[in-house]
PDB file of all heavy atoms in Angstrom:
ATOM      1  N   GLU A   1     -17.312  17.465  -3.172  1.00 77.00           N
ATOM      2  CA  GLU A   1     -17.862  17.820  -4.475  1.00 77.00           C
ATOM      3  C   GLU A   1     -16.717  18.052  -5.456  1.00 77.00           C
ATOM      4  O   GLU A   1     -15.549  18.157  -5.052  1.00 77.00           O
ATOM      5  CB  GLU A   1     -18.723  19.081  -4.347  1.00 77.00           C
ATOM      6  CG  GLU A   1     -19.925  18.914  -3.413  1.00 77.00           C
ATOM      7  CD  GLU A   1     -20.691  20.209  -3.267  1.00 77.00           C
ATOM      8  OE1 GLU A   1     -20.212  21.232  -3.800  1.00 77.00           O
ATOM      9  OE2 GLU A   1     -21.755  20.197  -2.627  1.00 77.00           O
ATOM     10  N   PRO A   2     -17.033  18.120  -6.755  1.00 79.00           N
ATOM     11  CA  PRO A   2     -15.980  18.415  -7.742  1.00 79.00           C
ATOM     12  C   PRO A   2     -15.174  19.644  -7.347  1.00 79.00           C
ATOM     13  O   PRO A   2     -15.722  20.666  -6.951  1.00 79.00           O
ATOM     14  CB  PRO A   2     -16.780  18.643  -9.039  1.00 79.00           C
ATOM     15  CG  PRO A   2     -18.013  17.817  -8.859  1.00 79.00           C
ATOM     16  CD  PRO A   2     -18.342  17.898  -7.384  1.00 79.00           C
ATOM     17  N   SER A   3     -13.868  19.519  -7.434  1.00 80.00           N
ATOM     18  CA  SER A   3     -12.992  20.605  -6.996  1.00 80.00           C
ATOM     19  C   SER A   3     -11.650  20.460  -7.691  1.00 80.00           C
ATOM     20  O   SER A   3     -11.346  19.417  -8.285  1.00 80.00           O
ATOM     21  CB  SER A   3     -12.794  20.544  -5.483  1.00 80.00           C
ATOM     22  OG  SER A   3     -12.055  19.380  -5.137  1.00 80.00           O
ATOM     23  N   PRO A   4     -10.793  21.492  -7.630  1.00 81.00           N
ATOM     24  CA  PRO A   4      -9.454  21.379  -8.223  1.00 81.00           C
ATOM     25  C   PRO A   4      -8.643  20.231  -7.626  1.00 81.00           C
ATOM     26  O   PRO A   4      -7.835  19.612  -8.332  1.00 81.00           O
ATOM     27  CB  PRO A   4      -8.823  22.739  -7.891  1.00 81.00           C
ATOM     28  CG  PRO A   4      -9.981  23.674  -7.779  1.00 81.00           C
ATOM     29  CD  PRO A   4     -11.079  22.859  -7.165  1.00 81.00           C
ATOM     30  N   ILE A   5      -8.850  19.932  -6.340  1.00 81.00           N
ATOM     31  CA  ILE A   5      -8.115  18.835  -5.719  1.00 81.00           C
ATOM     32  C   ILE A   5      -8.467  17.517  -6.390  1.00 81.00           C
ATOM     33  O   ILE A   5      -7.596  16.703  -6.692  1.00 81.00           O
ATOM     34  CB  ILE A   5      -8.409  18.773  -4.206  1.00 81.00           C
ATOM     35  CG1 ILE A   5      -7.805  19.970  -3.493  1.00 81.00           C
ATOM     36  CG2 ILE A   5      -7.867  17.473  -3.605  1.00 81.00           C
ATOM     37  CD1 ILE A   5      -8.069  20.004  -2.011  1.00 81.00           C
ATOM     38  N   ARG A   6      -9.743  17.301  -6.632  1.00 85.00           N
ATOM     39  CA  ARG A   6     -10.157  16.065  -7.293  1.00 85.00           C
ATOM     40  C   ARG A   6      -9.579  15.983  -8.711  1.00 85.00           C
ATOM     41  O   ARG A   6      -9.201  14.903  -9.167  1.00 85.00           O
ATOM     42  CB  ARG A   6     -11.683  15.977  -7.321  1.00 85.00           C
ATOM     43  CG  ARG A   6     -12.290  15.735  -5.947  1.00 85.00           C
ATOM     44  CD  ARG A   6     -13.761  15.401  -6.051  1.00 85.00           C
ATOM     45  NE  ARG A   6     -14.263  14.903  -4.769  1.00 85.00           N
ATOM     46  CZ  ARG A   6     -15.166  13.956  -4.648  1.00 85.00           C
ATOM     47  NH1 ARG A   6     -15.670  13.384  -5.724  1.00 85.00           N
ATOM     48  NH2 ARG A   6     -15.584  13.559  -3.465  1.00 85.00           N
ATOM     49  N   ASP A   7      -9.533  17.112  -9.394  1.00 85.00           N
ATOM     50  CA  ASP A   7      -8.938  17.126 -10.731  1.00 85.00           C
ATOM     51  C   ASP A   7      -7.466  16.732 -10.676  1.00 85.00           C
ATOM     52  O   ASP A   7      -6.968  16.017 -11.552  1.00 85.00           O
ATOM     53  CB  ASP A   7      -9.088  18.517 -11.362  1.00 85.00           C
ATOM     54  CG  ASP A   7     -10.547  18.883 -11.629  1.00 85.00           C
ATOM     55  OD1 ASP A   7     -11.388  17.956 -11.713  1.00 85.00           O
ATOM     56  OD2 ASP A   7     -10.841  20.091 -11.732  1.00 85.00           O
ATOM     57  N   LYS A   8      -6.759  17.193  -9.643  1.00 83.00           N
ATOM     58  CA  LYS A   8      -5.342  16.849  -9.495  1.00 83.00           C
ATOM     59  C   LYS A   8      -5.162  15.354  -9.260  1.00 83.00           C
ATOM     60  O   LYS A   8      -4.253  14.727  -9.817  1.00 83.00           O
ATOM     61  CB  LYS A   8      -4.739  17.645  -8.337  1.00 83.00           C
ATOM     62  CG  LYS A   8      -4.707  19.147  -8.563  1.00 83.00           C
ATOM     63  CD  LYS A   8      -4.308  19.886  -7.291  1.00 83.00           C
ATOM     64  CE  LYS A   8      -4.343  21.390  -7.475  1.00 83.00           C
ATOM     65  NZ  LYS A   8      -4.023  22.122  -6.227  1.00 83.00           N
ATOM     66  N   LEU A   9      -6.034  14.785  -8.424  1.00 88.00           N
ATOM     67  CA  LEU A   9      -5.935  13.345  -8.166  1.00 88.00           C
ATOM     68  C   LEU A   9      -6.245  12.544  -9.422  1.00 88.00           C
ATOM     69  O   LEU A   9      -5.629  11.502  -9.667  1.00 88.00           O
ATOM     70  CB  LEU A   9      -6.886  12.957  -7.032  1.00 88.00           C
ATOM     71  CG  LEU A   9      -6.543  13.505  -5.645  1.00 88.00           C
ATOM     72  CD1 LEU A   9      -7.533  12.991  -4.611  1.00 88.00           C
ATOM     73  CD2 LEU A   9      -5.128  13.115  -5.251  1.00 88.00           C
ATOM     74  N   LEU A  10      -7.202  13.005 -10.214  1.00 89.00           N
ATOM     75  CA  LEU A  10      -7.513  12.313 -11.462  1.00 89.00           C
ATOM     76  C   LEU A  10      -6.300  12.294 -12.397  1.00 89.00           C
ATOM     77  O   LEU A  10      -6.035  11.289 -13.059  1.00 89.00           O
ATOM     78  CB  LEU A  10      -8.697  12.990 -12.155  1.00 89.00           C
ATOM     79  CG  LEU A  10     -10.091  12.606 -11.648  1.00 89.00           C
ATOM     80  CD1 LEU A  10     -11.160  13.481 -12.312  1.00 89.00           C
ATOM     81  CD2 LEU A  10     -10.367  11.131 -11.925  1.00 89.00           C
ATOM     82  N   ALA A  11      -5.566  13.403 -12.434  1.00 86.00           N
ATOM     83  CA  ALA A  11      -4.373  13.474 -13.277  1.00 86.00           C
ATOM     84  C   ALA A  11      -3.332  12.454 -12.823  1.00 86.00           C
ATOM     85  O   ALA A  11      -2.708  11.773 -13.651  1.00 86.00           O
ATOM     86  CB  ALA A  11      -3.789  14.886 -13.253  1.00 86.00           C
ATOM     87  N   LEU A  12      -3.146  12.330 -11.501  1.00 90.00           N
ATOM     88  CA  LEU A  12      -2.198  11.334 -10.992  1.00 90.00           C
ATOM     89  C   LEU A  12      -2.707   9.924 -11.244  1.00 90.00           C
ATOM     90  O   LEU A  12      -1.923   9.008 -11.525  1.00 90.00           O
ATOM     91  CB  LEU A  12      -1.977  11.553  -9.493  1.00 90.00           C
ATOM     92  CG  LEU A  12      -1.102  12.739  -9.100  1.00 90.00           C
ATOM     93  CD1 LEU A  12      -1.004  12.841  -7.585  1.00 90.00           C
ATOM     94  CD2 LEU A  12       0.288  12.600  -9.700  1.00 90.00           C
ATOM     95  N   SER A  13      -4.019   9.735 -11.125  1.00 92.00           N
ATOM     96  CA  SER A  13      -4.595   8.421 -11.383  1.00 92.00           C
ATOM     97  C   SER A  13      -4.360   7.996 -12.827  1.00 92.00           C
ATOM     98  O   SER A  13      -4.060   6.833 -13.109  1.00 92.00           O
ATOM     99  CB  SER A  13      -6.099   8.447 -11.083  1.00 92.00           C
ATOM    100  OG  SER A  13      -6.709   7.215 -11.409  1.00 92.00           O
ATOM    101  N   GLU A  14      -4.478   8.935 -13.753  1.00 90.00           N
ATOM    102  CA  GLU A  14      -4.223   8.631 -15.160  1.00 90.00           C
ATOM    103  C   GLU A  14      -2.771   8.254 -15.396  1.00 90.00           C
ATOM    104  O   GLU A  14      -2.447   7.533 -16.345  1.00 90.00           O
ATOM    105  CB  GLU A  14      -4.613   9.830 -16.019  1.00 90.00           C
ATOM    106  CG  GLU A  14      -6.126  10.077 -16.062  1.00 90.00           C
ATOM    107  CD  GLU A  14      -6.482  11.371 -16.782  1.00 90.00           C
ATOM    108  OE1 GLU A  14      -5.537  12.081 -17.215  1.00 90.00           O
ATOM    109  OE2 GLU A  14      -7.679  11.663 -16.907  1.00 90.00           O
ATOM    110  N   ALA A  15      -1.868   8.732 -14.507  1.00 88.00           N
ATOM    111  CA  ALA A  15      -0.449   8.373 -14.613  1.00 88.00           C
ATOM    112  C   ALA A  15      -0.163   7.021 -13.967  1.00 88.00           C
ATOM    113  O   ALA A  15       0.981   6.565 -13.984  1.00 88.00           O
ATOM    114  CB  ALA A  15       0.413   9.450 -13.960  1.00 88.00           C
ATOM    115  N   GLY A  16      -1.212   6.385 -13.375  1.00 92.00           N
ATOM    116  CA  GLY A  16      -1.045   5.044 -12.823  1.00 92.00           C
ATOM    117  C   GLY A  16      -1.005   4.964 -11.313  1.00 92.00           C
ATOM    118  O   GLY A  16      -0.926   3.867 -10.756  1.00 92.00           O
ATOM    119  N   TYR A  17      -1.065   6.100 -10.617  1.00 94.00           N
ATOM    120  CA  TYR A  17      -0.994   6.082  -9.155  1.00 94.00           C
ATOM    121  C   TYR A  17      -2.356   5.760  -8.554  1.00 94.00           C
ATOM    122  O   TYR A  17      -3.405   6.078  -9.121  1.00 94.00           O
ATOM    123  CB  TYR A  17      -0.489   7.431  -8.631  1.00 94.00           C
ATOM    124  CG  TYR A  17       0.979   7.646  -8.907  1.00 94.00           C
ATOM    125  CD1 TYR A  17       1.396   8.312 -10.061  1.00 94.00           C
ATOM    126  CD2 TYR A  17       1.958   7.162  -8.036  1.00 94.00           C
ATOM    127  CE1 TYR A  17       2.745   8.495 -10.334  1.00 94.00           C
ATOM    128  CE2 TYR A  17       3.305   7.343  -8.302  1.00 94.00           C
ATOM    129  CZ  TYR A  17       3.695   8.008  -9.453  1.00 94.00           C
ATOM    130  OH  TYR A  17       5.031   8.181  -9.717  1.00 94.00           O
ATOM    131  N   ARG A  18      -2.318   5.114  -7.377  1.00 95.00           N
ATOM    132  CA  ARG A  18      -3.537   4.743  -6.677  1.00 95.00           C
ATOM    133  C   ARG A  18      -3.520   5.319  -5.262  1.00 95.00           C
ATOM    134  O   ARG A  18      -2.456   5.631  -4.706  1.00 95.00           O
ATOM    135  CB  ARG A  18      -3.686   3.220  -6.635  1.00 95.00           C
ATOM    136  CG  ARG A  18      -3.914   2.606  -8.018  1.00 95.00           C
ATOM    137  CD  ARG A  18      -5.239   3.080  -8.593  1.00 95.00           C
ATOM    138  NE  ARG A  18      -5.446   2.605  -9.965  1.00 95.00           N
ATOM    139  CZ  ARG A  18      -5.247   3.338 -11.045  1.00 95.00           C
ATOM    140  NH1 ARG A  18      -4.810   4.594 -10.922  1.00 95.00           N
ATOM    141  NH2 ARG A  18      -5.477   2.842 -12.238  1.00 95.00           N
ATOM    142  N   PHE A  19      -4.722   5.430  -4.664  1.00 96.00           N
ATOM    143  CA  PHE A  19      -4.876   6.124  -3.397  1.00 96.00           C
ATOM    144  C   PHE A  19      -5.627   5.276  -2.382  1.00 96.00           C
ATOM    145  O   PHE A  19      -6.285   4.288  -2.719  1.00 96.00           O
ATOM    146  CB  PHE A  19      -5.614   7.450  -3.620  1.00 96.00           C
ATOM    147  CG  PHE A  19      -5.128   8.227  -4.801  1.00 96.00           C
ATOM    148  CD1 PHE A  19      -5.960   8.483  -5.881  1.00 96.00           C
ATOM    149  CD2 PHE A  19      -3.818   8.683  -4.846  1.00 96.00           C
ATOM    150  CE1 PHE A  19      -5.500   9.186  -6.984  1.00 96.00           C
ATOM    151  CE2 PHE A  19      -3.345   9.391  -5.941  1.00 96.00           C
ATOM    152  CZ  PHE A  19      -4.190   9.642  -7.016  1.00 96.00           C
ATOM    153  N   SER A  20      -5.517   5.707  -1.127  1.00 96.00           N
ATOM    154  CA  SER A  20      -6.210   5.043  -0.026  1.00 96.00           C
ATOM    155  C   SER A  20      -6.903   6.107   0.825  1.00 96.00           C
ATOM    156  O   SER A  20      -6.327   7.163   1.091  1.00 96.00           O
ATOM    157  CB  SER A  20      -5.217   4.248   0.828  1.00 96.00           C
ATOM    158  OG  SER A  20      -5.834   3.750   2.003  1.00 96.00           O
ATOM    159  N   LEU A  21      -8.130   5.825   1.247  1.00 95.00           N
ATOM    160  CA  LEU A  21      -8.862   6.724   2.135  1.00 95.00           C
ATOM    161  C   LEU A  21      -8.745   6.185   3.554  1.00 95.00           C
ATOM    162  O   LEU A  21      -9.106   5.035   3.823  1.00 95.00           O
ATOM    163  CB  LEU A  21     -10.337   6.800   1.724  1.00 95.00           C
ATOM    164  CG  LEU A  21     -11.175   7.867   2.438  1.00 95.00           C
ATOM    165  CD1 LEU A  21     -10.733   9.266   1.989  1.00 95.00           C
ATOM    166  CD2 LEU A  21     -12.665   7.669   2.150  1.00 95.00           C
ATOM    167  N   ASP A  22      -8.216   7.010   4.468  1.00 93.00           N
ATOM    168  CA  ASP A  22      -8.050   6.548   5.848  1.00 93.00           C
ATOM    169  C   ASP A  22      -8.584   7.600   6.826  1.00 93.00           C
ATOM    170  O   ASP A  22      -9.218   8.567   6.429  1.00 93.00           O
ATOM    171  CB  ASP A  22      -6.593   6.185   6.148  1.00 93.00           C
ATOM    172  CG  ASP A  22      -5.680   7.402   6.199  1.00 93.00           C
ATOM    173  OD1 ASP A  22      -6.110   8.501   5.787  1.00 93.00           O
ATOM    174  OD2 ASP A  22      -4.534   7.263   6.658  1.00 93.00           O
ATOM    175  N   HIS A  23      -8.343   7.354   8.124  1.00 92.00           N
ATOM    176  CA  HIS A  23      -8.902   8.199   9.181  1.00 92.00           C
ATOM    177  C   HIS A  23     -10.405   8.389   8.964  1.00 92.00           C
ATOM    178  O   HIS A  23     -10.937   9.493   9.042  1.00 92.00           O
ATOM    179  CB  HIS A  23      -8.197   9.561   9.236  1.00 92.00           C
ATOM    180  CG  HIS A  23      -6.772   9.469   9.709  1.00 92.00           C
ATOM    181  ND1 HIS A  23      -5.715   9.257   8.851  1.00 92.00           N
ATOM    182  CD2 HIS A  23      -6.240   9.540  10.951  1.00 92.00           C
ATOM    183  CE1 HIS A  23      -4.590   9.219   9.542  1.00 92.00           C
ATOM    184  NE2 HIS A  23      -4.871   9.378  10.821  1.00 92.00           N
ATOM    185  N   ILE A  24     -11.071   7.278   8.686  1.00 93.00           N
ATOM    186  CA  ILE A  24     -12.500   7.315   8.382  1.00 93.00           C
ATOM    187  C   ILE A  24     -13.308   7.391   9.670  1.00 93.00           C
ATOM    188  O   ILE A  24     -13.095   6.611  10.601  1.00 93.00           O
ATOM    189  CB  ILE A  24     -12.900   6.067   7.565  1.00 93.00           C
ATOM    190  CG1 ILE A  24     -12.245   6.138   6.177  1.00 93.00           C
ATOM    191  CG2 ILE A  24     -14.419   5.948   7.444  1.00 93.00           C
ATOM    192  CD1 ILE A  24     -12.456   4.903   5.337  1.00 93.00           C
ATOM    193  N   THR A  25     -14.231   8.329   9.708  1.00 91.00           N
ATOM    194  CA  THR A  25     -15.128   8.464  10.855  1.00 91.00           C
ATOM    195  C   THR A  25     -16.591   8.264  10.456  1.00 91.00           C
ATOM    196  O   THR A  25     -17.436   8.039  11.313  1.00 91.00           O
ATOM    197  CB  THR A  25     -14.971   9.855  11.497  1.00 91.00           C
ATOM    198  OG1 THR A  25     -15.212  10.872  10.511  1.00 91.00           O
ATOM    199  CG2 THR A  25     -13.563  10.040  12.049  1.00 91.00           C
ATOM    200  N   ASP A  26     -16.882   8.360   9.176  1.00 90.00           N
ATOM    201  CA  ASP A  26     -18.245   8.193   8.674  1.00 90.00           C
ATOM    202  C   ASP A  26     -18.243   7.068   7.642  1.00 90.00           C
ATOM    203  O   ASP A  26     -17.602   7.174   6.592  1.00 90.00           O
ATOM    204  CB  ASP A  26     -18.729   9.505   8.048  1.00 90.00           C
ATOM    205  CG  ASP A  26     -20.174   9.424   7.557  1.00 90.00           C
ATOM    206  OD1 ASP A  26     -20.806   8.360   7.720  1.00 90.00           O
ATOM    207  OD2 ASP A  26     -20.661  10.429   6.999  1.00 90.00           O
TER     208      ASP A  26
END
């Protein structure tokens, strides 16, 4: 859910960084 962590990632995303979701079990 919306959280400070997600806000931090959005800030990095706006700076041009991209992410990957791994260790997926679901």
Side-chain angles (χ1 to χ4, degrees):
E1 299 177 354
S3 67
I5 291 179
R6 290 191 168 216
D7 294 339
K8 295 171 183 177
L9 293 183
L10 278 173
L12 285 179
S13 176
E14 291 173 358
Y17 288 93
R18 293 295 175 260
F19 315 117
S20 172
L21 189 69
D22 70 348
H23 291 89
I24 293 174
T25 57
D26 183 1

